[in-house]
Amino acid sequence: MGHPYPAARARLRAAEALLAQGRLAGSRARATSELETARFTAESLGAGPLREQIDQLAKLARIHLNDAVTEHGAKQDRAAGDDYGLTDRERDVLALLADGKTNREIGAALYMSQKTASVHVTHILAKLGVRSRVQAAAIAVRLGLADRPSAG
């Protein structure tokens, strides 16, 4: 194309659109391909912020990019919430919950159904030993999870 940076950004946006289509046949595989190509271009250009956006989308959509591609971003945010036994996905949900998002909004942001988001919230409340979303949000703020980058 002659313009690799805009092409990589376009591939990132294409992957987002494909993931938003949900369960259409082949959309996830095509999104993975777009992300891998965009990630390679961003790495080649030394475009750190673009690479981080690509890594974040891959993480949110639970897309595993090549090990060489994700080695830098795979270990981020591991410590926060470890005392409570929260998974990476639960920490993502908790961060959005702390931002006041509904289960529907959490689901949309993390490419999951509203019901799946509800199940995650239930597990989070149990692991944190709290009864309400407000109490869980307070713990998220204390852990520094409320400052995590959110999707959308």
XYZ file of all heavy atoms in Angstrom, residues 7-76:
523
model
N -2.523 1.468 7.116
C -2.991 0.120 6.772
C -3.131 -0.736 8.028
O -4.115 -1.478 8.183
C -2.031 -0.537 5.785
N -2.179 -0.616 8.956
C -2.249 -1.388 10.209
C -3.439 -0.933 11.047
O -4.143 -1.754 11.634
C -0.942 -1.247 10.990
N -3.674 0.378 11.097
C -4.842 0.887 11.841
C -6.141 0.382 11.209
O -7.081 0.028 11.905
C -4.838 2.419 11.889
C -3.823 2.958 12.887
C -3.991 4.443 13.149
N -5.322 4.873 13.508
C -5.886 4.765 14.714
N -5.219 4.215 15.692
N -7.103 5.213 14.939
N -6.169 0.348 9.885
C -7.361 -0.146 9.190
C -7.585 -1.630 9.503
O -8.728 -2.068 9.683
C -7.219 0.065 7.688
N -6.503 -2.393 9.589
C -6.628 -3.815 9.940
C -7.155 -3.976 11.374
O -7.955 -4.868 11.644
C -5.298 -4.525 9.769
C -4.908 -4.722 8.328
C -3.635 -5.546 8.191
N -3.236 -5.689 6.832
C -3.766 -6.539 5.954
N -4.757 -7.314 6.330
N -3.318 -6.613 4.726
N -6.697 -3.117 12.281
C -7.204 -3.147 13.657
C -8.708 -2.878 13.668
O -9.475 -3.589 14.321
C -6.467 -2.116 14.513
C -7.014 -1.862 15.921
C -6.970 -3.125 16.773
C -6.239 -0.722 16.587
N -9.150 -1.859 12.955
C -10.581 -1.521 12.898
C -11.372 -2.638 12.219
O -12.508 -2.929 12.618
C -10.807 -0.194 12.170
C -10.142 0.998 12.848
C -10.657 1.195 14.268
N -9.836 2.159 14.951
C -9.286 1.976 16.137
N -9.487 0.857 16.792
N -8.542 2.894 16.696
N -10.793 -3.265 11.200
C -11.469 -4.384 10.531
C -11.659 -5.541 11.513
O -12.727 -6.169 11.549
C -10.673 -4.835 9.307
N -10.632 -5.805 12.321
C -10.740 -6.874 13.327
C -11.835 -6.547 14.326
O -12.611 -7.425 14.709
C -9.396 -7.071 14.036
N -11.924 -5.290 14.765
C -12.985 -4.893 15.685
C -14.360 -5.149 15.060
O -15.263 -5.667 15.715
C -12.870 -3.404 16.038
C -11.733 -3.071 16.953
C -11.595 -1.578 17.209
O -12.061 -0.763 16.360
O -11.032 -1.218 18.233
N -14.516 -4.772 13.790
C -15.796 -4.963 13.109
C -16.128 -6.448 12.978
O -17.273 -6.861 13.188
C -15.765 -4.301 11.732
N -15.141 -7.252 12.648
C -15.362 -8.693 12.527
C -15.778 -9.303 13.862
O -16.670 -10.142 13.921
C -14.109 -9.379 11.986
C -13.821 -9.129 10.511
C -12.381 -9.512 10.176
C -14.806 -9.891 9.640
N -15.128 -8.872 14.932
C -15.465 -9.395 16.258
C -16.856 -8.946 16.691
O -17.569 -9.686 17.365
C -14.414 -8.965 17.281
C -13.061 -9.648 17.114
C -12.012 -8.951 17.975
C -13.147 -11.124 17.463
N -17.239 -7.758 16.298
C -18.559 -7.252 16.646
C -19.669 -8.027 15.935
O -20.805 -8.055 16.401
C -18.668 -5.765 16.315
N -19.328 -8.676 14.832
C -20.315 -9.476 14.097
C -20.695 -10.736 14.853
O -21.654 -11.402 14.509
C -19.781 -9.853 12.718
C -19.678 -8.690 11.783
C -19.103 -9.087 10.442
O -18.668 -10.217 10.234
N -19.093 -8.143 9.532
N -19.931 -11.051 15.865
C -20.272 -12.196 16.704
C -19.916 -13.522 16.088
O -18.776 -13.763 15.741
N -20.921 -14.347 15.924
C -20.682 -15.738 15.562
C -20.823 -16.041 14.078
O -21.081 -17.175 13.708
C -21.624 -16.625 16.353
C -21.372 -16.503 17.837
C -22.255 -17.399 18.608
N -21.985 -17.172 20.024
C -22.288 -18.003 20.956
N -22.879 -19.122 20.675
N -22.014 -17.722 22.209
N -20.682 -15.063 13.224
C -20.733 -15.342 11.795
C -19.552 -16.232 11.418
O -18.440 -16.040 11.903
C -20.686 -14.049 10.978
C -21.936 -13.184 11.033
C -21.761 -11.926 10.205
C -23.147 -13.952 10.539
N -19.805 -17.180 10.575
C -18.786 -18.166 10.201
C -17.525 -17.485 9.689
O -17.579 -16.657 8.785
C -19.343 -19.109 9.138
N -16.413 -17.821 10.297
C -15.117 -17.342 9.856
C -14.719 -15.962 10.335
O -13.599 -15.532 10.097
N -15.626 -15.247 11.006
C -15.293 -13.871 11.397
C -14.174 -13.829 12.428
O -13.304 -12.957 12.371
C -16.521 -13.124 11.905
O -17.049 -13.728 13.055
N -14.149 -14.772 13.354
C -13.095 -14.787 14.371
C -11.731 -15.101 13.748
O -10.728 -14.478 14.078
C -13.440 -15.786 15.470
C -12.495 -15.732 16.642
C -13.044 -16.574 17.799
N -12.142 -16.571 18.900
C -12.010 -15.594 19.796
N -12.749 -14.521 19.701
N -11.148 -15.698 20.780
N -11.693 -16.049 12.847
C -10.439 -16.402 12.181
C -9.927 -15.241 11.335
O -8.730 -14.946 11.335
C -10.630 -17.645 11.310
N -10.842 -14.555 10.665
C -10.433 -13.398 9.861
C -9.942 -12.271 10.764
O -8.970 -11.586 10.442
C -11.583 -12.947 8.975
C -11.843 -13.942 7.849
C -13.011 -13.604 6.952
N -13.180 -12.200 6.670
C -14.374 -11.616 6.543
N -15.473 -12.308 6.688
N -14.456 -10.333 6.273
N -10.598 -12.071 11.913
C -10.167 -11.037 12.862
C -8.770 -11.359 13.381
O -7.922 -10.463 13.500
C -11.158 -10.927 14.019
N -8.513 -12.632 13.675
C -7.194 -13.045 14.147
C -6.135 -12.729 13.106
O -5.061 -12.191 13.414
C -7.181 -14.551 14.494
O -8.144 -14.780 15.515
C -5.806 -14.996 14.972
N -6.425 -13.052 11.869
C -5.487 -12.781 10.778
C -5.206 -11.282 10.646
O -4.056 -10.860 10.485
C -6.055 -13.331 9.466
O -5.210 -13.007 8.394
N -6.272 -10.475 10.713
C -6.095 -9.020 10.626
C -5.230 -8.499 11.777
O -4.347 -7.666 11.577
C -7.456 -8.317 10.635
C -8.309 -8.588 9.424
C -7.780 -7.965 8.137
O -6.842 -7.139 8.169
O -8.316 -8.328 7.078
N -5.483 -9.004 12.986
C -4.706 -8.564 14.148
C -3.244 -8.974 14.038
O -2.348 -8.190 14.383
C -5.315 -9.105 15.446
C -6.606 -8.440 15.901
C -7.190 -9.166 17.104
C -6.371 -6.970 16.234
N -2.992 -10.188 13.583
C -1.604 -10.636 13.440
C -0.850 -9.787 12.428
O 0.293 -9.390 12.665
C -1.556 -12.115 13.061
C -1.896 -13.014 14.230
C -1.886 -14.494 13.883
O -1.969 -14.854 12.686
O -1.809 -15.296 14.828
N -1.489 -9.489 11.306
C -0.846 -8.657 10.286
C -0.621 -7.241 10.805
O 0.459 -6.668 10.626
C -1.698 -8.634 9.005
O -1.895 -9.980 8.554
C -1.027 -7.840 7.910
N -1.627 -6.684 11.470
C -1.496 -5.337 12.033
C -0.396 -5.299 13.092
O 0.393 -4.354 13.152
C -2.825 -4.883 12.631
N -0.335 -6.339 13.930
C 0.668 -6.406 14.997
C 2.079 -6.459 14.414
O 2.984 -5.789 14.889
C 0.390 -7.631 15.885
C 1.396 -7.845 17.013
C 1.246 -6.746 18.064
N 1.710 -7.076 19.371
C 2.995 -7.166 19.734
N 3.939 -7.006 18.871
N 3.302 -7.429 20.987
N 2.258 -7.261 13.363
C 3.558 -7.364 12.705
C 3.978 -6.007 12.138
O 5.115 -5.572 12.304
C 3.519 -8.423 11.589
C 4.816 -8.536 10.850
C 5.876 -9.236 11.399
C 4.983 -7.928 9.613
C 7.090 -9.336 10.726
C 6.184 -8.021 8.933
C 7.246 -8.723 9.492
N 3.053 -5.321 11.494
C 3.357 -4.005 10.927
C 3.696 -3.008 12.029
O 4.675 -2.254 11.913
C 2.168 -3.490 10.095
O 1.889 -4.435 9.055
C 2.471 -2.135 9.484
N 2.912 -2.989 13.090
C 3.173 -2.066 14.202
C 4.546 -2.330 14.809
O 5.283 -1.390 15.130
C 2.084 -2.179 15.264
N 4.892 -3.609 14.985
C 6.216 -3.969 15.507
C 7.311 -3.470 14.571
O 8.311 -2.902 15.011
C 6.340 -5.493 15.659
C 5.784 -6.036 16.930
C 6.607 -5.659 18.152
O 7.853 -5.621 18.080
O 5.988 -5.389 19.178
N 7.131 -3.693 13.283
C 8.121 -3.288 12.286
C 8.345 -1.788 12.280
O 9.461 -1.315 12.068
C 7.683 -3.734 10.889
O 7.567 -5.134 10.829
N 7.271 -1.056 12.511
C 7.352 0.407 12.506
C 7.791 0.979 13.853
O 8.067 2.165 13.947
C 5.998 1.009 12.125
C 5.490 0.724 10.721
C 4.057 1.222 10.573
C 6.398 1.379 9.691
N 7.790 0.157 14.881
C 8.079 0.659 16.223
C 6.939 1.514 16.751
O 7.154 2.431 17.547
N 5.724 1.217 16.311
C 4.535 1.984 16.703
C 3.952 1.391 17.984
O 2.989 0.626 17.951
C 3.515 1.981 15.572
N 4.544 1.737 19.112
C 4.150 1.189 20.403
C 2.691 1.386 20.763
O 2.017 0.430 21.144
N 2.159 2.604 20.679
C 0.746 2.799 21.043
C -0.211 1.974 20.168
O -1.181 1.412 20.674
C 0.524 4.299 20.842
C 1.879 4.896 21.055
C 2.845 3.882 20.472
N 0.076 1.878 18.885
C -0.770 1.064 18.005
C -0.651 -0.409 18.384
O -1.653 -1.120 18.449
C -0.390 1.274 16.536
C -1.161 0.438 15.512
C -2.659 0.704 15.601
C -0.636 0.725 14.108
N 0.558 -0.843 18.654
C 0.766 -2.236 19.070
C -0.009 -2.534 20.353
O -0.620 -3.589 20.492
C 2.248 -2.523 19.279
C 2.528 -4.011 19.526
C 3.915 -4.276 20.071
N 3.992 -3.712 21.401
C 4.930 -2.855 21.803
N 5.875 -2.461 20.999
N 4.927 -2.397 23.041
N -0.020 -1.600 21.295
C -0.753 -1.780 22.543
C -2.255 -1.883 22.299
O -2.939 -2.683 22.941
C -0.442 -0.641 23.514
C 0.982 -0.718 24.063
C 1.367 0.494 24.886
O 0.467 1.304 25.241
O 2.557 0.649 25.177
N -2.785 -1.088 21.362
C -4.212 -1.176 21.025
C -4.532 -2.546 20.435
O -5.561 -3.142 20.760
C -4.591 -0.091 20.022
C -4.604 1.298 20.584
C -4.903 2.340 19.514
O -5.088 2.025 18.344
N -4.941 3.596 19.919
N -3.659 -3.035 19.586
C -3.849 -4.348 18.966
C -3.804 -5.435 20.036
O -4.664 -6.321 20.072
C -2.777 -4.583 17.877
C -2.990 -3.607 16.722
C -2.791 -6.038 17.404
C -1.808 -3.478 15.791
N -2.816 -5.360 20.920
C -2.693 -6.344 22.007
C -3.910 -6.318 22.921
O -4.392 -7.362 23.367
C -1.433 -6.093 22.835
C -0.151 -6.431 22.085
O -0.222 -7.124 21.052
O 0.921 -5.995 22.544
N -4.420 -5.120 23.217
C -5.579 -4.986 24.096
C -6.812 -5.632 23.473
O -7.551 -6.347 24.144
C -5.847 -3.510 24.425
C -6.989 -3.291 25.387
C -6.696 -3.778 26.798
O -5.567 -3.983 27.184
N -7.744 -3.979 27.561
N -7.030 -5.384 22.184
C -8.180 -5.991 21.517
C -8.041 -7.510 21.501
O -9.000 -8.228 21.783
C -8.344 -5.457 20.099
C -9.510 -6.071 19.301
C -10.835 -5.826 20.010
C -9.527 -5.516 17.892
N -6.838 -7.996 21.204
C -6.617 -9.451 21.192
C -6.901 -10.037 22.571
O -7.542 -11.081 22.698
C -5.194 -9.766 20.746
N -6.459 -9.352 23.607
C -6.681 -9.832 24.968
C -8.174 -9.838 25.314
O -8.692 -10.822 25.843
C -5.919 -8.959 25.960
C -6.097 -9.364 27.399
C -5.337 -8.437 28.329
C -5.624 -8.764 29.762
N -4.983 -7.836 30.685
N -8.856 -8.759 25.002
C -10.281 -8.659 25.306
C -11.101 -9.719 24.568
O -12.056 -10.258 25.116
C -10.814 -7.270 24.951
C -10.327 -6.123 25.816
C -10.806 -4.799 25.243
C -10.791 -6.289 27.244
N -10.692 -9.995 23.344
C -11.419 -10.972 22.530
C -10.897 -12.385 22.750
O -11.394 -13.319 22.132
C -11.311 -10.595 21.059
N -9.909 -12.508 23.631
C -9.286 -13.806 23.913
C -8.759 -14.466 22.655
O -8.977 -15.641 22.398
C -10.252 -14.720 24.638
C -10.513 -14.270 26.040
C -11.308 -15.269 26.784
N -11.121 -15.032 28.206
C -11.664 -15.762 29.139
N -12.404 -16.786 28.824
N -11.461 -15.495 30.394
N -8.051 -13.659 21.868
C -7.404 -14.151 20.665
C -5.932 -14.292 20.983
O -5.285 -13.352 21.442
C -7.608 -13.190 19.480
C -9.072 -13.207 19.067
C -6.705 -13.554 18.314
C -9.422 -12.218 17.978
N -5.413 -15.476 20.750
C -4.006 -15.734 21.007
C -3.233 -15.459 19.733
O -3.385 -16.171 18.743
C -3.799 -17.188 21.453
C -2.374 -17.536 21.667
N -1.656 -17.066 22.745
C -1.515 -18.282 20.939
C -0.422 -17.520 22.671
N -0.317 -18.261 21.581
N -2.419 -14.414 19.766
C -1.548 -14.120 18.640
C -0.276 -14.931 18.809
O -0.030 -15.499 19.875
C -1.243 -12.621 18.589
C -2.471 -11.710 18.460
C -2.055 -10.256 18.479
C -3.257 -12.022 17.211
N 0.537 -14.989 17.786
C 1.798 -15.740 17.870
C 2.570 -15.351 19.110
O 2.581 -14.187 19.504
C 2.667 -15.476 16.636
C 2.018 -15.994 15.379
O 1.243 -16.942 15.411
N 2.334 -15.367 14.263
N 3.253 -16.330 19.759
C 4.006 -16.062 20.987
C 4.989 -14.920 20.810
O 5.135 -14.082 21.682
C 4.752 -17.317 21.450
C 3.804 -18.353 22.011
O 2.683 -17.977 22.423
O 4.178 -19.533 22.035
N 5.662 -14.874 19.693
C 6.618 -13.798 19.447
C 5.902 -12.452 19.394
O 6.446 -11.439 19.772
C 7.361 -14.034 18.141
N 4.667 -12.477 18.964
C 3.889 -11.250 18.831
C 3.428 -10.738 20.184
O 3.494 -9.564 20.464
C 2.670 -11.507 17.905
C 1.718 -10.344 17.930
C 3.145 -11.772 16.496
N 2.976 -11.624 21.065
C 2.366 -11.175 22.319
C 3.288 -11.249 23.522
O 2.878 -10.945 24.621
C 1.113 -12.018 22.629
O 1.505 -13.377 22.739
C 0.051 -11.839 21.587
N 4.524 -11.651 23.337
C 5.417 -11.837 24.475
C 5.483 -10.606 25.368
O 5.453 -10.702 26.575
C 6.811 -12.212 23.978
C 7.772 -12.497 25.107
C 9.143 -12.888 24.590
O 9.315 -13.020 23.374
O 10.036 -13.029 25.411
N 5.531 -9.408 24.798
C 5.649 -8.184 25.587
C 4.402 -7.919 26.423
O 4.484 -7.577 27.590
C 5.911 -6.989 24.668
C 5.989 -5.687 25.410
N 4.910 -4.857 25.524
C 6.986 -5.110 26.092
C 5.250 -3.804 26.238
N 6.498 -3.936 26.591
N 3.208 -8.091 25.838
C 1.983 -7.706 26.518
C 1.355 -8.790 27.371
O 0.452 -8.524 28.132
N 1.830 -10.021 27.279
C 1.147 -11.134 27.933
C 1.231 -11.094 29.452
O 0.383 -11.655 30.113
C 1.714 -12.454 27.424
N 2.220 -10.428 30.014
C 2.404 -10.468 31.457
C 1.893 -9.214 32.153
O 2.105 -9.046 33.325
C 3.883 -10.674 31.773
C 4.389 -12.004 31.262
C 5.856 -12.165 31.488
C 6.335 -13.463 30.864
N 7.756 -13.572 30.800
N 1.206 -8.357 31.431
C 0.726 -7.122 32.033
C -0.409 -7.392 33.008
O -1.201 -8.298 32.823
C 0.234 -6.167 30.947
C 1.339 -5.692 30.050
C 0.806 -4.810 28.942
O -0.377 -4.790 28.658
N 1.696 -4.094 28.315
